[in-house]
Amino acid sequence: MKKELSILIPVYNADCRQMVTELSRQAETIDGLHYEIIVADDGSSDRRCVECCREVGALPHCRFIDRGANSGRAVIRNFLATQAQYGWLLFLDCDMTIVSPHYLQDYLDAETEQVAYGGYTVGTDDDTCLRYIYERQCEHQHRAEERRKRPFLHFHTCNFMVRRGIMLEHPFDERFRKYGYEDVFWGKQLRRAGIAISHIDNPVGFCTFEDNPHFVAKTEEGLRTLYEFRDELRGYSQIITFTDGIHIGLVKSAIRLCHHLFGSLIRRNLCGNRPKLSLFKMYKLGYYLSLT
């Protein structure tokens, strides 16, 4: 069993008290474990969330850092790695839920020497929530046996453990300032460096879903990020692979025209109470091609 662990949680406009309390409870029950929990707020616009998260500093071995300004998903994770004192780092997204009473123990017992990703399970909502519909449709891809088939593509930053030395030597690329794909590009970096990602079955729960307008806007931001780094992400994105496979220019032009004519109507459906997943896929393709 690993004997030391730094648990690192970047926070933005979220209340992480319940998560940190459970992590602290589990850590305190593990004999011989040296641990710390560091929560860093990345310039939240909702100061109420900042003050709520500040309370975790009263828990054993917990520290809260208020960064003041937003730096982005790559920068905040690199910063947390520099703040950690122990040899193993466990990164968690603040909007996840600890669903296993032996979550930390399973990571400490994991047979990995470099990087381990535990995955996530999808909570419950209803068919008016586009993010929930989307995550449910993709849920089979989050199983460990599926992730192992393409280990560097099926990696997310929401729940992973890494040696501190690897993280410092191979930090997240800080050009990724906006939402999306910093984790995909990090997976590509690890692959080039010959660093293995172990996919284990130790999920957190994805139980809090943003409303439809926010999810659509976040998807659009992610597609803009994908387009900006398209040359470096080629081979690591289904949309890039699909659009690169369209060799007839008129087909791409037709898709762009359809998006220009009907994109706003489709977006209205996606932001409403009866979103269609098929329309969401069409919208993503049309939006991406409209950027070219």
Side-chain angles (χ1 to χ4, degrees), residues 102-129:
H102 43 81
Y103 168 78
L104 286 184
Q105 187 68 64
D106 287 347
Y107 256 128
L108 295 171
D109 292 339
E111 295 182 0
T112 179
E113 294 300 323
Q114 297 178 312
V115 183
Y117 172 52
Y120 64 90
T121 59
V122 181
T124 58
D125 209 300
D126 57 53
D127 289 342
T128 65
C129 178

Side-chain angles (χ1 to χ4, degrees), residues 105-258:
Q105 187 68 64
D106 287 347
Y107 256 128
L108 295 171
D109 292 339
E111 295 182 0
T112 179
E113 294 300 323
Q114 297 178 312
V115 183
Y117 172 52
Y120 64 90
T121 59
V122 181
T124 58
D125 209 300
D126 57 53
D127 289 342
T128 65
C129 178
L130 179 60
R131 182 64 185 268
Y132 169 70
I133 299 170
Y134 173 76
E135 292 294 344
R136 274 295 187 196
Q137 193 266 343
C138 300
E139 190 170 21
H140 69 283
Q141 299 176 8
H142 305 315
R143 299 170 185 153
E145 60 269 23
E146 288 296 318
R147 290 186 269 118
R148 292 184 188 116
K149 295 176 182 178
R150 306 184 76 183
F152 296 97
L153 291 179
H154 294 297
F155 169 82
H156 300 282
T157 56
C158 65
N159 173 29
F160 75 100
M161 186 175 66
V162 58
R163 281 195 180 275
R164 185 172 185 267
I166 291 176
M167 187 69 190
L168 295 179
E169 186 175 352
H170 302 279
F172 285 96
D173 192 317
E174 296 187 357
R175 293 176 301 159
F176 287 78
R177 306 286 293 191
K178 301 296 184 180
Y179 174 78
Y181 293 94
E182 79 288 338
D183 48 1
V184 176
F185 191 73
W186 194 63
K188 178 181 178 179
Q189 288 180 290
L190 295 184
R191 185 177 189 176
R192 286 184 168 181
I195 297 170
I197 299 178
S198 300
H199 285 270
I200 66 174
D201 185 18
N202 192 26
V204 290
F206 186 6
C207 305
T208 303
F209 307 97
E210 62 266 77
D211 61 38
N212 293 347
H214 280 94
F215 179 52
V216 173
K218 192 159 73 171
T219 299
E220 292 168 343
E221 184 177 6
L223 290 169
R224 293 193 295 271
T225 299
L226 179 63
Y227 181 72
E228 180 181 355
F229 295 98
R230 61 195 180 279
D231 292 335
E232 294 166 275
L233 291 171
R234 187 162 277 110
Y236 288 79
S237 161
Q238 290 183 343
I239 287 183
I240 294 177
T241 300
F242 182 81
T243 55
D244 283 352
I246 303 174
H247 301 296
I248 302 175
L250 285 176
V251 174
K252 290 184 179 180
S253 296
I255 295 173
R256 291 190 194 99
L257 178 60
C258 287

Side-chain angles (χ1 to χ4, degrees), residues 76-95:
I76 190 65
R77 286 172 174 79
N78 291 342
F79 168 76
L80 280 164
T82 66
Q83 294 295 302
Q85 63 175 311
Y86 294 125
W88 282 99
L89 313 180
L90 174 59
F91 281 91
L92 281 161
D93 279 0
C94 61
D95 56 354

Side-chain angles (χ1 to χ4, degrees), residues 64-80:
F64 176 78
I65 302 172
D66 185 356
R67 294 266 289 169
N70 183 258
S71 57
R73 294 162 61 88
V75 173
I76 190 65
R77 286 172 174 79
N78 291 342
F79 168 76
L80 280 164

